[in-house]
Amino acid sequence: MESSYPLSLVEWTTRNAARLDVPLDDLVALRRLVGDARVVALGENSHQIREFGLLREQILRYLVTECGFTVYAVEFEAICGRAVDAWVHGGDGDLDALLLPGADGYPGQSAEGRDTLRWLRSWNSAARHPVRFEGLDIPAAGGSLAPALEPVAAYLADIDPAAVRYARTALELAEPVSAGSGYASAHARLALGPELQDQLSATLGRLLNRITAMREIYAQQGGPRAYERALSDVWAAWRTDQMQRAMSELFSGTPDAANLSARDRYLADTLLELLDQSAPDTRIVLAAHNAHIQRTANPEGVPLPRIPMGHVLAQALGADYVSVALTSSGGRTVQNVPDPTHPAGMRQAATDAPEAPHDSVEALFSQVPEAPALVDVAALRAHARNHGLQEPTLMRMDDGFLPVPALDAYDAVVNVPRTTLTADIGE
């Protein structure tokens, strides 16, 4: 006998969540959700979580082997990603060494992420359609302009020697704030006067103008592929500069959510350019933090980018973009503590996952049995709005909760009951 009252969101989630037991031999629920989408984003509420890395690899394997996905695009430095792509296609080199320039725990750089790349290399060795690896991110986790500007300077030395001075001047100006991450560089910028910051931004603007204005000549002399790579690197340097400035404003107590969007804009533009330059049947698995893949914009007044990557992709791709958030109800998680004296600008430590507030996404899974579970957010949203039920307003990030309209921000949410940390972080 059916109940005369509507199911609460917790009851609905308990009844309708699809269990995802590892190994994932059959992911019918996910396949139905993905459909014909060209981009499927797999998130995580914190980097360096073992269970998220394992689950993402299982989903990637399924999407590659059963659904024909051919690109693995990651929140990872785009420039270093070129060497990683060569490695997964059988190239020489040591994987750990290739990842060292940006070894900060993003997808692909944890112990589980490295295992995923080893699986890709093994798969590609016999695959009819090998899987490409693509980094989408700004250089050195936002810590340095050098990985982007050094190859640009070398390119210009052959194509347009008179323009090399722009790249070299920018490198000299940026050297005092070069560090191990965007956090560390943002701290360093707090001691850098506004005149020098403006000079650096202006020099990068001149360089960007030069390389865009000379498009036809550069492409004719050096080839279109080399030109597009150099242009992407200049944009990476420009966005890195803007992100560092925005982060320093955040640390000084004057955050601007619009300026904080610089990095997400680069992530989104890099992926859309990848789609434009690829065959029409290209399908991409995208791995990044939940905060990057959400479909919705963020309001002013929160310390998050106004326009996340996922919002740009959702607007550009519509139903061709599917966003799957990964979160968890308990266990251990990562605590990130800003620290100007640390090489990365912050210290990472293990801590207990906080208890889920009643109005959080995580609380919806409180009665789901002990197994990863997936909820189709469109169906959950329809139930909530058809019956006027209060929707969750919070979602976990690291060891805290932030306001996120989750039922609009994601197409699916996967909850892992308990998490542990990757082997890269000691308990």
Side-chain angles (χ1 to χ4, degrees), residues 36-240:
D36 297 324
R38 297 190 67 193
V39 178
V40 175
L42 305 176
E44 55 187 6
N45 68 16
S46 182
H47 299 313
Q48 297 283 28
I49 299 298
R50 172 174 170 77
E51 287 72 18
F52 293 159
L54 294 174
L55 187 57
R56 186 167 46 238
E57 178 181 333
Q58 291 294 323
I59 295 174
L60 171 68
R61 290 190 184 203
Y62 182 82
L63 292 176
V64 167
T65 61
E66 301 298 325
C67 303
F69 281 72
T70 54
V71 178
Y72 184 43
V74 178
E75 182 188 341
F76 178 85
E77 182 179 339
I79 297 164
C80 287
R82 298 163 190 164
V84 176
D85 181 56
W87 186 86
V88 301
H89 283 87
D92 295 332
D94 177 70
L95 178 61
D96 292 335
L98 293 176
L99 299 178
L100 278 178
D104 43 27
Y106 293 162
Q109 296 160 296
S110 65
E112 294 72 33
R114 294 192 293 274
D115 286 343
T116 298
L117 296 177
R118 293 185 182 101
W119 175 79
L120 278 181
R121 182 180 170 100
S122 175
W123 168 263
N124 285 343
S125 65
R128 182 178 178 185
H129 300 291
V131 177
R132 292 157 54 192
F133 177 88
E134 294 284 346
L136 303 177
D137 213 348
I138 56 180
S144 174
L145 276 63
L149 290 181
E150 289 289 359
V152 170
Y155 171 79
L156 291 174
D158 293 330
I159 299 295
D160 185 6
V164 174
R165 68 184 189 275
Y166 298 124
R168 289 296 172 199
T169 299
L171 281 165
E172 292 173 8
L173 292 169
E175 212 297 351
V177 296
S178 294
S181 73
Y183 281 99
S185 291
H187 283 299
R189 279 188 177 245
L190 293 174
L192 196 66
E195 296 82 5
L196 287 177
Q197 296 214 44
D198 289 344
Q199 187 180 354
L200 172 57
S201 296
T203 302
L204 289 169
R206 296 290 301 276
L207 176 61
L208 184 59
N209 177 68
R210 182 73 165 234
I211 203 167
T212 53
M214 296 285 284
R215 177 190 302 269
E216 287 75 17
I217 293 177
Y218 285 7
Q220 183 179 16
Q221 292 184 359
R225 181 173 177 79
Y227 171 78
E228 292 297 335
R229 178 168 290 185
L231 177 62
S232 176
D233 290 349
V234 174
W235 271 116
W238 167 259
R239 294 296 186 194
T240 300

Side-chain angles (χ1 to χ4, degrees), residues 10 26 109 144 165 175 184 223 317 321 420:
V10 172
D26 188 9
Q109 296 160 296
S144 174
R165 68 184 189 275
E175 212 297 351
L317 301 176
Y321 176 66
T420 57

Side-chain angles (χ1 to χ4, degrees), residues 187-402:
H187 283 299
R189 279 188 177 245
L190 293 174
L192 196 66
E195 296 82 5
L196 287 177
Q197 296 214 44
D198 289 344
Q199 187 180 354
L200 172 57
S201 296
T203 302
L204 289 169
R206 296 290 301 276
L207 176 61
L208 184 59
N209 177 68
R210 182 73 165 234
I211 203 167
T212 53
M214 296 285 284
R215 177 190 302 269
E216 287 75 17
I217 293 177
Y218 285 7
Q220 183 179 16
Q221 292 184 359
R225 181 173 177 79
Y227 171 78
E228 292 297 335
R229 178 168 290 185
L231 177 62
S232 176
D233 290 349
V234 174
W235 271 116
W238 167 259
R239 294 296 186 194
T240 300
D241 171 62
Q242 296 301 303
M243 189 213 76
Q244 290 178 356
R245 298 191 70 160
M247 289 293 293
S248 67
E249 293 169 354
L250 175 66
F251 291 158
S252 67
T254 57
D256 187 316
N259 289 340
L260 284 169
S261 302
R263 180 184 173 200
D264 276 82
R265 176 59 63 174
Y266 182 78
L267 287 164
D269 286 350
T270 305
L271 189 137
L272 291 174
E273 288 171 9
L274 171 62
L275 275 177
D276 288 342
Q277 296 167 8
S278 300
D281 60 348
T282 297
R283 304 184 77 186
I284 299 173
V285 178
L286 166 61
H289 196 285
N290 287 346
H292 291 307
I293 70 168
Q294 72 181 60
R295 301 178 67 95
T296 51
N298 288 308
E300 290 285 359
V302 298
L304 292 170
R306 186 81 171 87
I307 304 295
M309 167 183 61
H311 183 62
V312 179
L313 299 180
Q315 295 294 305
L317 301 176
D320 269 332
Y321 176 66
V322 172
S323 178
V324 182
L326 271 61
T327 190
S328 61
S329 304
R332 301 284 275 172
T333 189
V334 175
Q335 182 182 53
N336 293 305
V337 181
D339 182 354
T341 67
H342 193 279
M346 65 179 181
R347 291 178 286 106
Q348 288 187 324
T351 188
D352 288 334
E355 184 176 348
H358 74 278
D359 54 348
S360 67
V361 173
E362 290 74 15
L364 299 181
F365 294 85
S366 60
Q367 297 177 22
V368 176
E370 288 285 311
L374 178 148
V375 162
D376 182 330
V377 170
L380 176 60
R381 181 174 62 238
H383 176 76
R385 295 179 184 176
N386 287 342
H387 297 286
L389 302 176
Q390 184 174 354
E391 300 177 23
T393 58
L394 299 174
M395 193 165 185
R396 187 153 74 80
M397 179 185 292
D398 297 331
D399 60 337
F401 289 84
L402 290 177

